[in-house]
Amino acid sequence: MIQSIERALNILECIANAGGALRLQQIAEAAELRTTTAHNILKTLGALGYVRRRPHDTRYYLGDRILNIARIAGDDSGLRRRLRPHLEAMAAHSGETVFLAVPSGDEVFFLDAIESPEALRTASQQGERTPMEGSAIGLLFLAFMPMLRQRMLALHTDRIGSAITEEIESITARGYALDEQNYQQGLSCVAVPWIEDGELRAGFGLSGPSVRLPKSHLETLAAMMQGCCEG
């Protein structure tokens, strides 16, 4: 076996077995490693998105990338069933096309959708994958998943642009993402996060023709969607 891989996987298992969070010294003891060795492995795992630190917290948590793998290998259909009532409430209140999406690697995967009954509407993208950059839902994931953002900026700066930082800060501050004909001409969208245990697990989006969705209405819909997430 390759020792470094064995040690890295052992560290991830130690964190998982402890409920998802451990301090450096606890990790070193559980994995039977020197503190400096454990710290170096954790730095690599952190850079890759497999572990993360939270502000003002010395513990290491499982990162978004390992959680995405677990979700993909686990029960996407269970998440879809559990969040379907929230999606239906958003569709009923808005009359527009709404969808549920999750991060999948460096892409957005659409788990579920309900199409608008209007003749002029956005088509369902259920089962499709799209690039992370540009769309409201992609920006939402970048804003609320710091390790994903760092990885995307490191690997795909040419696609997403370095100026995205200011926009992401705005999304984090207001709690939702807007797209006014940026991703596609004539189409506007709003996206809000679904948070569990302090971590983003999925995102809800709403899209439709820009003629029906000026910015003021998008902001009203964002508040409605946030209310549906809390209800």
Side-chain angles (χ1 to χ4, degrees):
M1 291 189 295
I2 300 175
Q3 189 180 56
S4 58
I5 296 176
E6 181 185 10
R7 288 175 170 178
L9 292 175
N10 190 24
I11 283 176
L12 292 174
E13 289 180 355
C14 289
I15 297 173
N17 290 335
L22 276 180
R23 291 180 174 84
L24 172 60
Q25 189 59 44
Q26 294 172 316
I27 292 170
E29 291 174 0
E32 299 181 352
L33 296 171
R34 290 188 301 173
T35 303
T36 52
T37 302
H39 182 256
N40 289 335
I41 294 172
L42 286 164
K43 282 179 64 178
T44 300
L45 290 172
L48 294 172
Y50 289 103
V51 299
R52 61 167 296 192
R53 301 275 295 277
R54 293 177 179 175
H56 314 298
D57 192 339
T58 60
R59 292 174 294 177
Y60 287 87
Y61 292 80
L62 295 178
D64 60 80
R65 206 164 188 183
I66 194 70
L67 294 173
N68 284 346
I69 292 172
R71 195 210 76 246
I72 294 166
D75 189 8
D76 267 356
S77 61
L79 182 65
R80 186 186 302 112
R81 285 194 303 271
R82 188 156 53 88
L83 299 187
R84 179 73 182 193
H86 301 282
L87 194 68
E88 291 175 346
M90 294 174 191
H93 281 90
S94 68
E96 300 292 348
T97 295
V98 294
F99 55 86
L100 171 69
V102 292
S104 181
D106 293 341
E107 296 179 312
V108 174
F109 177 61
F110 293 86
L111 271 184
D112 199 2
I114 300 175
E115 281 196 2
S116 168
E118 298 287 340
L120 184 59
R121 63 178 183 269
T122 305
S124 166
Q125 291 179 283
Q126 184 174 345
E128 295 182 11
R129 296 177 184 273
T130 62
M132 190 72 66
E133 63 274 9
S135 66
I137 192 70
L139 288 171
L140 185 84
F141 293 155
L142 293 175
F144 284 88
M145 303 180 75
M147 295 308 300
L148 172 64
R149 178 170 69 251
Q150 290 176 22
R151 189 167 69 250
M152 290 293 290
L153 284 172
L155 298 176
H156 306 298
T157 305
D158 56 327
R159 282 163 37 189
I160 64 178
S162 57
I164 199 172
T165 303
E166 184 176 343
E167 186 172 5
I168 283 174
E169 289 175 354
S170 297
I171 293 169
T172 305
R174 65 177 178 244
Y176 59 87
L178 298 177
D179 173 17
E180 299 177 85
Q181 304 188 69
N182 180 54
Y183 189 71
Q184 183 176 327
Q185 186 66 29
L187 178 71
S188 292
C189 181
V190 58
V192 302
W194 176 262
I195 306 291
E196 290 181 344
D197 299 324
E199 303 282 350
L200 184 145
R201 292 290 180 264
F204 290 101
L206 179 152
S207 60
S210 299
V211 293
R212 283 205 306 266
L213 298 175
K215 185 176 182 180
S216 59
H217 190 37
L218 287 174
E219 292 171 341
T220 300
L221 290 170
M224 177 274 292
M225 294 168 72
Q226 289 171 327
C228 289
C229 287
E230 296 169 0

